[in-house]
Amino acid sequence: MNFFVTCFLLISWLAGSEPISRQIGKGIHPAVATDAAGGVHVVFGRGSLIFYTASRDGETFSMPVRVDSVVGLHLGASRGPQIAATAQSVVITAIDKPGNVWAYVLNRKSGQWQPRVRITDVPDIAKEGFVSLTASPDNVYNAVWLDLRNDKHNKIVGARSTDGGHTWLPNRVLYQSPDGTVCECCQLSVVSQGKRVAVMFRNFLNGARDMYLLKSEDGGQTFGKAEKIGKGTWKLNACPMDGGGLYMTPNGTVSTVWRRENKVYTARPGQPETELGEGKNAKIVLTEKGEYVVFQQAGQLMITTPEQTQPKAMATGAYPKLTVLPNGRVLCLWEQDGTVWARPI
């Protein structure tokens, strides 16, 4: 792949020693995906610019390249470009402030990003700026976002691409709150494994801002009934701007992490939640060893692992993201003072 022969920014982990945090590039709100071959793909923003960098092994990353300049790019407070990848393609999604969701597809042979295409089939409709993206091995992509169509109330809307992100099927409303709107300012999450797809979002029902899950067994063509996550509830007449994290293993096991009041909890669907401690903006992944969670607490990134179940400070920063590498290693990315950082866990 030609884009890997560009100049490289060394990010090396010292074997047998404490992992070291390294800079990826100047920007904020990184998103990360790992393809089936173990390649790591990262997108982040800086002002109106979208940048992309990649790695074969999660250790050495290519010099970030500019994908596009988007006037009014939504960036900050959990808003930013998203990324997903298959063996055949890499796709980035981004939203502009008028409310349009755009997709970019990488030509793996040339290393060039193709001109953007619009996913939203109604213009200026995703004004909150929250979108999430996932990919299946059959080169099918599912994008979900907060959408104001029909009644000017936010709802969960999605679209599928069956050709690696080049074209997108008509948008579909996946969930609409019977109380009028879902939570207006919380990032939603979507993950997939094979034909299984799961969407997590913060709802707004009976005055409560609780997390809910939508599940599909047919690649995102249809979804079942929304299911509340956890047993407790959070009565709140405001938006916490915190959407939590979602992960699915190859066998379909779903793990979630999210905030209620000032506490972070993990939970499996249909089971009681487990409190981790005070914090926000949490992400989760699951390996054969167990769950890894990273979240913010007073300017620090706190981590729990299968070996370290009590939260421990890992680094200074915000808005962490996690991905699992093929060898079971976990890679964490985050932002700090306008710089994107990476560190293995």
Side-chain angles (χ1 to χ4, degrees), residues 148-171:
L148 294 167
R149 70 186 61 208
N150 301 329
D151 58 5
K152 297 184 179 180
H153 289 156
N154 278 291
K155 56 192 68 66
I156 309 302
V157 172
R160 300 172 69 242
S161 172
T162 59
D163 60 2
H166 292 281
T167 62
W168 294 80
L169 297 173
N171 301 172

Side-chain angles (χ1 to χ4, degrees), residues 223-291:
F223 285 83
K225 184 179 179 181
E227 173 188 0
K228 182 178 176 295
I229 304 173
K231 302 302 182 182
T233 191
W234 188 6
K235 294 288 186 178
L236 180 68
N237 189 26
C239 180
M241 302 188 71
D242 194 340
L246 175 67
Y247 189 77
M248 182 186 293
T249 65
N251 67 6
T253 299
V254 172
S255 293
T256 71
V257 64
W258 33 269
R259 171 188 167 199
R260 185 170 67 226
E261 297 181 349
N262 65 339
K263 301 289 183 62
V264 171
Y265 299 86
T266 61
R268 300 278 176 87
Q271 298 181 10
E273 59 268 49
T274 299
E275 180 183 324
L276 295 182
E278 293 187 359
K280 59 182 180 180
N281 296 325
K283 299 299 176 187
I284 189 170
V285 293
L286 181 62
T287 73
E288 292 183 354
K289 293 181 179 180
E291 291 181 345

Side-chain angles (χ1 to χ4, degrees), residues 84-166:
T86 69
Q88 299 81 29
S89 60
V90 181
V91 176
I92 288 172
T93 56
I95 303 183
D96 59 27
K97 289 184 179 177
N100 302 291
V101 182
W102 301 98
Y104 302 86
V105 180
L106 176 67
N107 184 320
R108 290 221 189 206
K109 291 184 178 180
S110 68
Q112 301 298 310
W113 288 90
Q114 305 303 298
R116 66 187 182 186
V117 297
R118 197 176 74 188
I119 300 178
T120 39
D121 55 16
V122 176
D124 304 344
I125 206 67
K127 293 186 179 297
E128 290 296 341
F130 294 106
V131 63
S132 189
L133 181 68
T134 190
S136 300
D138 55 1
N139 213 31
V140 170
Y141 285 78
N142 278 277
V144 295
W145 61 90
L146 296 186
D147 191 296
L148 294 167
R149 70 186 61 208
N150 301 329
D151 58 5
K152 297 184 179 180
H153 289 156
N154 278 291
K155 56 192 68 66
I156 309 302
V157 172
R160 300 172 69 242
S161 172
T162 59
D163 60 2
H166 292 281

Side-chain angles (χ1 to χ4, degrees), residues 38-92:
V40 179
H41 307 268
V42 176
V43 65
F44 57 89
R46 187 172 75 223
S48 64
L49 303 178
I50 299 171
F51 288 92
Y52 166 79
T53 179
S55 169
R56 287 191 178 95
D57 54 12
E59 296 185 0
T60 303
F61 284 79
S62 61
M63 188 70 70
V65 297
R66 193 179 85 167
V67 176
D68 195 15
S69 176
V70 179
V71 176
L73 175 66
H74 260 298
L75 187 63
S78 294
R79 298 172 176 90
Q82 305 297 304
I83 195 166
T86 69
Q88 299 81 29
S89 60
V90 181
V91 176
I92 288 172

